[in-house]
Amino acid sequence: AQKITQTQPGMFVQEKEAVTLDCTYDTSDPSYGLFWYKQPSSGEMIFLIYQGSYDQQNATEGRYSLNFQKARKSANLVISASQLGDSAMYFCAMREKRYNTDKLIFGTGTRLQVFP
Amino acid sequence: DSGVTQTPKHLITATGQRVTLRCSPRSGDLSVYWYQQSLDQGLQFLIQYYNGEERAKGNILERFSAQQFPDLHSELNLSSLELGDSALYFCASSVVGGGQSTGELFFGEGSRLTVL
């Protein structure tokens, strides 16, 4: 079965510094997709970035980049130049595609706190 | 704005009661997913519908049921409510089966259920 693991329950970072949130995954599928979502205290789920297993380059979206290491089965999120508004829960997710379903499975999340 | 609409945003009810949560997917999305997020936990997949048909079931209790209607909106029914059912319930939609689809889910803002 596919699995997503986020081992950091909480992280602290100072404003303007970079931070890496860890995510490892387990799958036997040759083709898969990895996602990161942000959940601020207001509760909504905000899509940040996507990485396909066959993508040659690491995905980037503004201050977000995904450090994809396929052999290690890791897909860490890097946030550069942290801002106070980055304080939130961050969830790593993986696409699980089967003959009759196509859904995302989520890790347990990492709570990031950015301090001045 | 993800384009996914969930109502109600907040709901407070008593144990033993029944509630219905409603979701309207993004225009054009055929697939609807329901997830449950208990306090400070990750998102647990409950159920998926595609064009009116149930596609996959996750950890959904027998007291819970869902359906997707011909206009593609979906309802999640929770009955015989218990204190432990208090959670944030998310609906998400996606374009499933599209050739260029990454499988990204678009989330509603969630329905926060409190059972007293």
Side-chain angles (χ1 to χ4, degrees), chain A residues 33 35 37 39 41-45 47 50 89 91 95 97 99-109 111, chain B residues 31 33 35 37 40-43 45 48 55-56 88 90 94 96-97 101-109 112:
Chain A
F35 301 78
Y37 283 83
Q39 185 181 38
S41 57
S42 51
E44 71 269 30
M45 295 289 288
F47 166 75
Y50 168 81
M89 281 289 287
F91 292 97
R95 186 179 189 181
K97 194 171 182 181
Y99 74 98
N100 66 337
T101 186
D102 190 351
K103 64 181 187 287
L104 298 188
I105 56 171
F106 286 82
T108 52
R111 183 174 300 279
Chain B
S31 199
Y33 305 78
Y35 284 84
Q37 184 182 29
D40 289 336
Q41 294 191 13
L43 279 73
F45 170 72
Q48 178 201 0
R55 276 293 177 92
L88 187 56
F90 282 107
S94 76
V96 175
S101 170
T102 65
E104 177 187 347
L105 295 188
F106 296 87
F107 283 84
E109 294 184 343
R112 188 172 296 279

Side-chain angles (χ1 to χ4, degrees), chain B residues 19-54:
Chain B
V19 299
T20 297
L21 310 180
R22 182 189 168 101
C23 169
S24 294
R26 287 189 326 157
S27 176
D29 285 355
L30 299 179
S31 199
V32 169
Y33 305 78
W34 288 97
Y35 284 84
Q36 179 193 53
Q37 184 182 29
S38 300
L39 189 61
D40 289 336
Q41 294 191 13
L43 279 73
Q44 298 296 318
F45 170 72
L46 294 179
I47 198 163
Q48 178 201 0
Y49 279 84
Y50 177 78
N51 203 20
E53 294 186 1
E54 180 186 304

Side-chain angles (χ1 to χ4, degrees), chain A residues 14-115:
Chain A
Q14 190 167 29
E15 201 177 5
K16 300 180 184 177
E17 296 295 313
V19 63
T20 298
L21 306 184
D22 295 342
C23 173
T24 59
Y25 60 91
D26 190 18
T27 181
S28 57
D29 293 347
S31 176
Y32 50 90
L34 296 155
F35 301 78
W36 278 91
Y37 283 83
K38 172 184 178 181
Q39 185 181 38
S41 57
S42 51
E44 71 269 30
M45 295 289 288
I46 302 168
F47 166 75
L48 294 178
I49 197 166
Y50 168 81
Q51 179 83 44
S53 59
Y54 291 122
D55 292 343
Q56 295 296 314
Q57 294 186 331
N58 287 344
T60 60
E61 290 285 348
R63 295 186 299 110
Y64 304 109
S65 60
L66 201 152
N67 184 0
F68 182 46
Q69 299 189 41
K70 200 169 182 178
R72 295 186 179 183
K73 293 190 174 180
S74 73
N76 299 338
L77 177 70
V78 180
I79 305 175
S80 62
S82 296
Q83 302 173 356
L84 295 178
D86 294 334
S87 294
M89 281 289 287
Y90 289 81
F91 292 97
C92 181
M94 180 165 59
R95 186 179 189 181
E96 181 178 84
K97 194 171 182 181
R98 296 288 180 264
Y99 74 98
N100 66 337
T101 186
D102 190 351
K103 64 181 187 287
L104 298 188
I105 56 171
F106 286 82
T108 52
T110 296
R111 183 174 300 279
L112 176 66
Q113 293 190 305
V114 181
F115 59 94

Side-chain angles (χ1 to χ4, degrees), chain B residues 1-115:
Chain B
D1 183 1
S2 67
V4 178
T5 304
Q6 284 189 251
T7 57
K9 286 187 169 45
H10 299 276
L11 191 55
I12 301 174
T13 189
T15 55
Q17 295 298 304
R18 172 189 171 96
V19 299
T20 297
L21 310 180
R22 182 189 168 101
C23 169
S24 294
R26 287 189 326 157
S27 176
D29 285 355
L30 299 179
S31 199
V32 169
Y33 305 78
W34 288 97
Y35 284 84
Q36 179 193 53
Q37 184 182 29
S38 300
L39 189 61
D40 289 336
Q41 294 191 13
L43 279 73
Q44 298 296 318
F45 170 72
L46 294 179
I47 198 163
Q48 178 201 0
Y49 279 84
Y50 177 78
N51 203 20
E53 294 186 1
E54 180 186 304
R55 276 293 177 92
K57 265 188 176 180
N59 299 321
I60 187 167
L61 300 171
E62 286 192 7
R63 300 184 285 107
F64 295 0
S65 64
Q67 58 184 126
Q68 187 179 27
F69 295 86
D71 66 353
L72 300 179
H73 90 272
S74 177
E75 292 181 357
L76 178 66
N77 300 296
L78 315 175
S79 62
S80 302
L81 286 167
E82 302 175 359
L83 296 178
D85 297 328
S86 295
L88 187 56
Y89 291 85
F90 282 107
C91 171
S93 72
S94 76
V95 176
V96 175
Q100 298 302 315
S101 170
T102 65
E104 177 187 347
L105 295 188
F106 296 87
F107 283 84
E109 294 184 343
S111 293
R112 188 172 296 279
L113 173 66
T114 303
V115 182

